[in-house]
Amino acid sequence: MIRIKRMIKKEASVTLFVCLAVPVLAVLILSLLEGARYCGLKADAKEWPKLAAESLFAGYQSVLLDEYGLFFLDGSFGTGELNIQRTEDEMKLLLQENFSAGSGDFGVNLFRMQTDDVQVLKYRLATDESGKVFEMCAANAMKKTLGQRAARNILDKIEHAEKKAEEAGDPETVMTKADTALKEAAEQKEEKMAEPADVSAMENPLELIPKLRRQGIVGLVLPEGKTVSGKTMSVDNCLLKRSCYRGNFRQPESPGWYERILMQEFVKPLIGNAVAPKEEEALAYGTEYLICGKGSDEENLKGVVKKLLVVREALNFLYLQQDTAKQNEALALASVLAGIVGNPAVVQAVEWGILAAWAYAESICDIKALLSGKKIPLIKEASEWNTQLSNLSEAVSGECGGAAHGLSYENYLDVLLCRKTVKQIAYRSMDLMEKNIQNEEQYANCRMDAMLVGMKTETEFMADTLFFEIMGEDQIGGFAFSEQAEYVYH
């Protein structure tokens, strides 16, 4: 009897221990499970904003990608007005879809959370930083195509051309001084004696150049059979004239000469020029628009031709300063035109004016050859000279030959492009892109200054406890997470 009581007492003590241990063990296990769940929730809270941002930016503007190979997200969502609130709502919707609780065949989602709030802290637009954001985007798209050494060669050619043009001085000023000296000489001739009969019959280059300019420069340089594009577009609301949206998310990179060359080389083949026009674009001569910014191909071509004439005129004038034979021809004509006054200074001034006029006439032939797709050397040799001083008017109206080597029309455009600011090149490039997008009916309101390149967000999540609820009232009150994420197109 005593033994039976001892056994009962011993079994009762084990039952009591188990009764006390099981709840403690259950609390421990559930706490460990909840702790593991917390770590999983925190990992999801950190990862999902990045994935949601990637999903959002996967909705890039398709025309820009198809036509130009650039990734931009339309921050106006087709309305034409930048809408950051809509961006936040889209992010929140993406997160809610991914965090929704599983059901049916998918079982139960133990890591369900709710998106409490999404805020876009910073955002970067294509037009930010005076076009430098676009410059970096274009450069990044071009880096695999054009290496730094090749870009350096392009820059060296541009700098060499600029340097040579500066060495030549200003031919226009030389012509003006010569014309003034010649008029003074003519007055002195009238006082001394009648003008010789053979002088009036001679072609005076200083009188020919103003006549050529009055004819219209585009008509003079246009190759036979070539017509000027009649395309036009409104520039009243172009990016350089309107108040653009501005982001507050600066890019870490600082573009330099390499990115500048890459941007130009990226844009040029996409927008065309007078030699290789893009007939399907808003303007066929897009590169000329980058340089001049006018609303028609004709105006832009006229502006570029004038600028190229200045470049070639200076380079041709530099060559004439080194060609003794041609200097002797100019001196002989100057002596006939002004030598009768017996003033060597006047004769010399007229001589140099004739050389400058000759350089201008040669430049007309050069531009005509360039627009025909031919090449013109930076500094010519005697065999590559096209015009003769005795018949300049006939020479500029005829066919003009090029050279087997030298720079093409596009190469000379590089020189003019490098004289423009990054903002001018970037914004005018985006003008053309904007017009191209707006040709699509569903994107008629798109604006390039509303195109998002990247953004930084802060997302807040809420999650209820799961395993603590099994033990009764939840004393923690759930979990809260706040995570930042950043996404930028590369």
Side-chain angles (χ1 to χ4, degrees):
M1 186 69 177
I2 296 173
R3 184 179 178 184
I4 293 173
K5 287 183 179 180
R6 286 179 179 176
M7 290 179 63
I8 293 173
K9 184 177 181 182
K10 185 176 181 179
E11 289 176 0
S13 65
V14 172
T15 304
L16 179 62
F17 173 78
V18 171
C19 291
L20 294 174
V22 167
V24 174
L25 186 61
V27 170
L28 177 61
I29 292 173
L30 293 175
S31 297
L32 290 173
L33 289 173
E34 196 67 66
R37 180 171 174 269
Y38 172 83
C39 292
L41 289 169
K42 186 173 180 61
D44 280 354
K46 188 173 184 178
E47 187 66 22
W48 280 108
K50 298 177 184 178
L51 297 176
E54 289 181 10
S55 298
L56 178 66
F57 276 81
Y60 46 78
Q61 218 293 326
S62 59
V63 177
L64 283 171
L65 180 63
D66 294 341
E67 298 294 330
Y68 303 104
L70 292 174
F71 286 95
F72 291 133
L73 174 67
D74 184 6
S76 73
F77 298 91
T79 66
E81 300 290 334
L82 182 63
N83 191 344
I84 298 300
Q85 177 64 50
R86 171 77 179 273
T87 305
E88 294 171 343
D89 292 342
E90 292 290 332
M91 278 271 297
K92 193 171 184 178
L93 181 61
L94 286 167
L95 288 167
Q96 286 173 345
E97 290 176 353
N98 283 284
F99 278 129
S100 59
S103 59
D105 296 335
F106 297 99
V108 178
N109 181 6
L110 299 179
F111 295 96
R112 57 181 180 267
M113 282 194 296
Q114 299 83 40
T115 306
D116 191 44
D117 189 28
V118 176
Q119 288 187 345
V120 175
L121 303 178
K122 295 181 179 181
Y123 57 93
R124 185 180 304 159
L125 301 172
T127 50
D128 281 350
E129 300 177 44
S130 298
K132 291 183 180 180
V133 169
F134 176 83
E135 181 183 19
M136 283 302 305
C137 292
N140 288 334
M142 193 67 182
K143 279 182 179 178
K144 292 183 180 179
T145 305
L146 187 68
Q148 195 160 348
R149 182 178 297 179
R152 183 76 246 183
N153 289 336
I154 294 172
L155 183 61
D156 287 344
K157 288 181 180 179
I158 295 170
E159 291 177 343
H160 183 58
E162 292 282 27
K163 182 180 179 181
K164 287 296 182 183
E166 289 176 5
E167 289 177 9
D170 184 6
E172 293 295 321
T173 302
V174 173
M175 273 195 283
T176 302
K177 290 181 178 178
D179 189 56
T180 302
L182 196 58
K183 288 178 180 177
E184 292 175 355
E187 293 175 0
Q188 294 181 38
K189 285 180 185 179
E190 292 177 359
E191 295 175 1
K192 289 188 175 184
M193 58 191 305
E195 185 178 291
D198 61 335
V199 174
S200 60
M202 297 183 67
E203 183 179 56
N204 183 352
L206 295 173
E207 294 178 352
L208 173 65
I209 300 306
K211 291 179 182 178
L212 292 176
R213 286 172 172 162
R214 286 194 292 269
Q215 292 178 26
I217 196 62
V218 173
L220 285 173
V221 302
L222 207 62
E224 186 176 353
K226 188 178 182 67
T227 58
V228 179
S229 166
K231 282 181 169 289
T232 62
M233 75 175 193
S234 174
V235 294
D236 294 337
N237 194 37
C238 66
L239 288 166
L240 286 172
K241 292 182 180 179
R242 73 178 180 233
S243 178
C244 296
Y245 293 112
R246 291 184 180 180
N248 55 358
F249 189 16
R250 294 186 63 85
Q251 60 185 0
E253 307 95 338
S254 181
W257 69 267
Y258 180 41
E259 286 74 22
R260 171 61 188 264
I261 295 297
L262 288 176
M263 175 180 66
Q264 292 182 191
E265 294 304 307
F266 173 79
V267 170
K268 287 189 305 180
L270 298 172
I271 60 177
N273 57 59
V275 173
K278 287 284 186 179
E279 300 294 348
E280 68 279 6
E281 299 291 316
L283 291 177
Y285 308 158
T287 306
E288 286 82 349
Y289 174 71
L290 302 189
I291 296 167
C292 298
K294 302 297 183 181
S296 72
D297 282 331
E298 184 176 3
E299 288 180 291
N300 289 319
L301 180 59
K302 182 178 180 181
V304 164
V305 165
K306 287 182 177 179
K307 294 176 187 295
L308 286 180
L309 277 172
V310 172
V311 173
R312 282 307 314 164
E313 182 183 5
L315 294 169
N316 287 332
F317 188 52
L318 180 63
Y319 164 76
L320 289 174
Q321 294 175 38
Q322 302 165 1
D323 190 320
T324 305
K326 288 182 172 55
Q327 289 177 26
N328 290 335
E329 288 185 54
L331 177 59
L333 181 56
S335 298
V336 174
L337 294 174
I340 196 170
V341 299
N343 187 337
V346 173
V347 174
Q348 186 181 39
V350 174
E351 176 195 352
W352 284 96
I354 290 171
L355 289 173
W358 197 354
Y360 185 88
E362 180 73 13
S363 300
I364 292 176
C365 291
D366 291 344
I367 305 304
K368 188 182 294 186
L370 289 172
L371 289 173
S372 300
K374 300 172 183 176
K375 294 182 178 180
I376 297 295
L378 200 61
I379 302 296
K380 293 184 174 183
E381 298 178 357
S383 60
E384 296 163 341
W385 198 262
N386 288 297
T387 57
Q388 299 298 322
L389 188 57
S390 58
N391 62 343
L392 288 182
S393 56
E394 294 179 11
V396 298
S397 60
E399 286 293 322
C400 299
H405 65 98
L407 304 182
S408 66
Y409 178 70
E410 183 179 300
N411 297 144
Y412 281 100
L413 289 181
D414 286 338
V415 177
L416 301 184
L417 284 171
C418 273
R419 294 178 177 179
K420 314 306 290 186
T421 64
V422 169
K423 185 175 183 178
Q424 288 173 322
I425 299 298
Y427 276 33
R428 286 172 181 170
S429 297
M430 287 186 278
D431 283 340
L432 297 173
M433 293 177 181
E434 183 175 279
K435 294 294 182 182
N436 192 35
I437 296 170
Q438 292 173 352
N439 286 336
E440 303 286 340
E441 185 177 353
Q442 65 269 39
Y443 305 128
N445 296 319
C446 282
R447 291 173 45 156
M448 286 302 296
D449 57 322
M451 293 294 168
L452 287 164
V453 177
M455 66 182 186
K456 186 175 184 179
T457 63
E458 183 174 60
T459 308
E460 294 180 358
F461 300 103
M462 298 292 294
D464 295 327
T465 58
L466 180 62
F467 296 104
F468 284 169
E469 293 176 356
I470 298 174
M471 296 181 290
E473 185 178 353
D474 180 11
Q475 299 297 322
I476 297 178
F479 305 119
F481 305 96
S482 180
E483 295 291 342
Q484 293 186 358
E486 179 180 311
Y487 186 87
V488 179
Y489 283 127
H490 292 291

